[in-house]
Amino acid sequence: MRDAPDLEGLAAAARGGAVAHSAFLSEATSSAWVARLRRDGVAASATGGYPGAARRIVTARGEHVPSADPALAALYLDGAHDASEARAALRAAGAEPGDLGDAVRHADGLSLVVRASFRPQELGAVRLGGREVVPETVPLERAATGTRKTQVLVVPALRADVLGAKALGASRSWFGKGVAAGNVRVDGARVGKSHLLEPGSELWAEGLGRVHVLGVEGETKRGNLKVRVEVEKS
């Protein structure tokens, strides 16, 4: 998206009572922008078109404006199987990085999430694996995958390794290795396993999904925390 606002532009639009959307951003950047906007008192959210998406569009809005996610669609490429190759072919045909979201693989090809206003016919056919493929715009529902659910977890602490492992169904030791390898981020930044999350934090674990900390609802008799989270798995 060539005219998408930057972080400051999103904040300015929201403070003026408007709704503004970024281009598609990497997981780290989108999470960092959402966290920064919220810290500055701006209502902000992000979506990649389906639960657990990495590349997302950040939306900022005035405090009295209801939720307003961007309209998204999917761009189907018949016979494509390599997401990097497909993205490179679309960029060679004129698409920009901010036009393209995540790729979802199918048995007979793959789909890339795009803005509903994106016009693939302006690109024409793209070359993939030595042949020409004409991108086809399809409803997002044909490509969307993943699950999203809200639940209350009982954990001894809000540490990244403890909460992440519990929410995403992994052992704490295995999840801790992912943290050490740099595959886990909180609000866009790599963290250590003892990093403490707080309400509003978003934890991302590559290959597993995302955890939104919605709030702490109290303690058990044993002193554990009752934490309400929203868990996205792709």
Side-chain angles (χ1 to χ4, degrees):
M1 184 180 178
R2 293 158 179 77
D3 300 321
D6 58 12
L7 179 60
E8 289 72 22
L10 289 174
R15 292 191 178 103
V19 174
H21 306 295
S22 73
F24 274 104
L25 305 169
S26 69
E27 194 288 323
T29 300
S30 67
S31 294
W33 282 25
V34 168
R36 170 66 182 276
L37 288 166
R38 289 175 176 171
R39 283 198 302 270
D40 291 345
V42 176
S45 58
T47 181
Y50 65 94
R55 290 180 60 79
R56 300 185 296 170
I57 291 174
V58 174
T59 297
R61 64 186 189 278
E63 59 179 358
H64 300 300
V65 178
S67 179
D69 287 339
L72 302 176
L75 198 63
Y76 175 69
L77 298 170
D78 182 44
H81 298 288
D82 186 294
S84 296
E85 181 186 14
R87 188 171 279 109
L90 288 167
R91 289 192 60 187
E96 294 191 356
D99 294 326
L100 308 174
D102 275 5
V104 180
R105 291 179 174 82
H106 313 293
D108 54 356
L110 58 78
S111 297
L112 273 82
V113 181
V114 298
R115 287 181 170 272
S117 59
F118 183 64
R119 296 289 182 261
Q121 59 267 29
E122 297 176 3
L123 306 178
V126 299
R127 293 197 62 81
L128 280 170
R131 64 189 184 91
E132 290 194 341
V133 177
V134 177
E136 175 189 359
T137 301
V138 298
L140 186 61
E141 292 73 22
R142 287 181 54 182
T145 61
T147 61
R148 177 186 286 109
K149 65 179 179 179
T150 299
Q151 60 190 118
V152 175
L153 304 177
V154 176
V155 292
L158 289 177
R159 288 169 48 120
D161 60 340
V162 174
L163 188 62
K166 180 87 171 189
L168 295 169
S171 72
R172 183 171 166 183
S173 61
W174 185 85
F175 195 86
K177 292 178 182 178
V179 174
N183 297 328
V184 175
R185 292 187 290 272
V186 174
D187 294 334
R190 291 180 177 176
V191 297
K193 62 183 182 180
S194 61
H195 178 87
L196 294 178
L197 283 75
E198 57 187 25
S201 295
E202 290 186 359
L203 178 147
W204 164 261
E206 187 172 347
L208 294 179
R210 178 179 291 109
V211 182
H212 306 252
V213 182
L214 303 178
V216 178
E217 299 191 342
E219 294 186 7
T220 67
K221 292 181 178 180
R222 295 186 177 183
N224 291 322
L225 300 175
K226 297 178 181 179
V227 185
R228 181 171 292 276
V229 297
E230 181 182 71
V231 181
E232 295 183 25
K233 294 183 179 181
S234 57

